């Protein structure tokens, strides 16, 4: 069997369906948390749900009852404001109770609106100051290699973080040290707090830039589960062959799965009216059922 045939076999219909179901539940969890506050970074959570499901339901080695397990793979959320999506993934993975999602952003909650490692089980770093995550990931990946550990490091970045020079310094370091145990994921939703990404600071051509920095680079539809899983398979195969770090550039849509939110003008930090939440859930469920029944 060729490598292509192996990849096609691994990205089976059953595998895609299972991880897609996890993404659907992650989206539901995000809506649950969003309703607690009535607002927040719900659009990013919905858009990135497929990426998060691909990691937690298919790639990551972890123990839900032991988040500090020494041999675990590390998932670093560089974009701290995406914490609502990360909490949803941690709940889906069994690291935190689903019932705890109702405390999101509340006083004394373990689930603050911006991710903090000192509060939440399974949250490896305190993100939020964009541009730091990949530097930390490089250090962890290098440290794990020195320890002889087989653990991998997955770093979740946003396209806005590509504005930061520290991201590219870290990218150079990862290639220099040939950190094949590091995979970066970039959520390219084309939106930042100050407007559309290409009007704030144009970073394209992104693929060519990562390739020039020596990374094994793939660009996929980040809301296409089969494409995502194939990309992760390819990254693992390339790491074994070449020892290079990998990056998966994921084009996503803010609010994915909920048409009411997909075309909202002010989408970076959404205010959702009380009467709209049930409509969001109904649209999410209807869309998922339509896709799975076809």
């Amino acid at each position: 069997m060729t490598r292509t045939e192996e990849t096609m076999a691994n990205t089976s219909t059953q595998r895609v369906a299972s991880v897609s179901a996890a993404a659907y539940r992650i989206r539901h969890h995000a809506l649950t948390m969003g309703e607690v506050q009535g607002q927040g970074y719900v659009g990013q959570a919905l858009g990135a749900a497929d990426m998060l499901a691909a990691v937690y339901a298919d790639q990551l080695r972890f123990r839900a009852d032991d988040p500090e397990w020494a041999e675990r793979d590390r998932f670093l959320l560089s974009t701290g404001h995406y914490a609502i999506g990360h909490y949803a993934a941690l709940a889906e993975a069994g690291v935190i109770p689903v019932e705890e999602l109702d405390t999101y952003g509340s006083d004394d909650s373990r689930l603050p609106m911006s991710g903090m490692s000192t509060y939440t089980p399974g949250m490896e770093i305190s993100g939020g100051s964009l541009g730091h995550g990949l530097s930390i990931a490089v250090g962890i990946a290098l440290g794990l290699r020195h320890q002889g550990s087989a653990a991998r490091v997955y770093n979740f970045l946003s396209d806005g973080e590509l504005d930061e020079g520290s991201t590219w310094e870290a990218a150079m370091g990862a290639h220099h040290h040939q950190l094949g145990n590091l995979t970066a994921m970039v959520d390219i939703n084309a939106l930042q707090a100050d407007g559309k990404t290409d009007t704030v600071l144009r970073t394209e051509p992104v693929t060519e830039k990562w390739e020039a920095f020596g990374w094994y680079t793939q660009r996929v539809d980040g809301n296409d589960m089969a494409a995502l899983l194939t990309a992760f398979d390819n990254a693992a195969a390339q790491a074994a062959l070449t020892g290079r770090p990998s990056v998966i550039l994921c084009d996503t849509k803010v609010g994915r799965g909920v048409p009411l939110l997909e075309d909202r003008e002010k989408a970076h930090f959404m205010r959702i009216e009380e009467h709209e939440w049930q409509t969001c859930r109904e649209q999410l469920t209807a869309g998922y059922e339509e896709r799975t029944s076809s």
Side-chain angles (χ1 to χ4, degrees), residues 3 7 216 231-243 246:
R3 185 175 297 114
T7 298
Y216 174 60
F232 277 110
D233 289 347
N234 291 340
Q238 281 293 316
L241 285 173
T242 67
S246 294

Side-chain angles (χ1 to χ4, degrees), residues 48-64:
D50 297 302
M51 299 167 65
L52 292 166
V55 172
Y56 274 92
D58 189 78
Q59 294 293 311
L60 210 65
R61 291 188 315 139
F62 66 97
R63 292 177 178 174

Side-chain angles (χ1 to χ4, degrees), residues 4 42 89 103 122 125 136 158 192 196 203 220 225 254 256 267 292:
T4 300
V42 179
T103 72
I125 64 172
I136 300 172
S158 66
Q192 298 183 30
K196 294 183 177 179
T203 52
V220 301
M225 189 58 74
V254 172
R256 178 72 176 192
T292 54

Side-chain angles (χ1 to χ4, degrees), residues 136-182:
I136 300 172
V138 168
I140 292 176
L142 190 59
L144 288 170
R145 190 171 72 185
H146 283 318
Q147 293 172 4
S149 173
R152 295 191 55 81
V153 180
Y154 297 87
N155 182 212
F156 186 104
L157 304 92
S158 66
D159 50 356
E161 283 191 274
L162 303 187
D163 295 355
E164 305 291 346
S166 54
T167 296
W168 298 107
E169 291 179 55
M172 284 192 291
H175 175 252
H176 173 78
H177 293 291
Q178 289 292 280
L179 296 179
N181 58 344
L182 172 60

Side-chain angles (χ1 to χ4, degrees), residues 19-35 42-53 84-85 87-89 92 101 221-225 228 252-258 261-262 277 280-281 283-285 288 291:
V19 184
S20 295
Y24 166 69
R25 291 189 292 269
I26 286 171
R27 288 187 167 97
H28 257 295
H29 294 330
L31 291 176
T32 295
M33 285 181 282
E35 188 172 12
V42 179
Q44 288 90 333
L46 294 172
D50 297 302
M51 299 167 65
L52 292 166
I84 183 172
Y87 300 150
E92 170 63 21
L101 301 180
D221 180 345
N223 296 129
D224 181 332
M225 189 58 74
L228 275 171
T252 66
K253 186 173 183 60
V254 172
R256 178 72 176 192
V258 180
L261 305 181
E262 287 183 0
W277 289 102
C280 290
R281 291 190 184 88
Q283 289 183 347
L284 176 62
T285 299
Y288 175 72
R291 289 192 300 274

Side-chain angles (χ1 to χ4, degrees), residues 72-259:
R72 71 190 183 280
D73 291 336
R74 273 69 167 177
F75 176 82
L76 276 59
L77 183 73
S78 184
T79 52
H81 62 292
Y82 279 60
I84 183 172
H86 194 188
Y87 300 150
L90 290 171
E92 170 63 21
V95 178
I96 59 176
V98 172
E99 297 77 17
E100 191 171 354
L101 301 180
D102 290 331
T103 72
Y104 170 69
S106 303
D107 290 344
D108 299 322
S109 172
R110 296 195 301 174
L111 312 178
M113 291 189 73
S114 187
M116 298 181 68
S117 60
T118 52
Y119 281 70
T120 313
M123 184 74 69
E124 296 283 355
I125 64 172
S126 296
S129 297
L130 300 185
H132 294 173
L134 189 59
S135 297
I136 300 172
V138 168
I140 292 176
L142 190 59
L144 288 170
R145 190 171 72 185
H146 283 318
Q147 293 172 4
S149 173
R152 295 191 55 81
V153 180
Y154 297 87
N155 182 212
F156 186 104
L157 304 92
S158 66
D159 50 356
E161 283 191 274
L162 303 187
D163 295 355
E164 305 291 346
S166 54
T167 296
W168 298 107
E169 291 179 55
M172 284 192 291
H175 175 252
H176 173 78
H177 293 291
Q178 289 292 280
L179 296 179
N181 58 344
L182 172 60
T183 299
M185 311 158 59
V186 184
D187 180 23
I188 304 178
N189 60 27
L191 185 67
Q192 298 183 30
D194 293 330
K196 294 183 177 179
T197 301
D198 62 0
T199 62
V200 176
L201 184 63
R202 190 175 294 109
T203 52
E204 295 289 354
V206 174
T207 302
E208 289 81 354
K209 286 176 181 172
W210 282 95
E211 288 175 342
F213 275 74
W215 289 55
Y216 174 60
T217 307
Q218 303 172 84
R219 188 163 188 170
V220 301
D221 180 345
N223 296 129
D224 181 332
M225 189 58 74
L228 275 171
L229 295 179
T230 297
F232 277 110
D233 289 347
N234 291 340
Q238 281 293 316
L241 285 173
T242 67
R244 286 195 295 165
S246 294
V247 60
I248 304 174
L249 307 172
C250 301
D251 291 292
T252 66
K253 186 173 183 60
V254 172
R256 178 72 176 192
V258 180

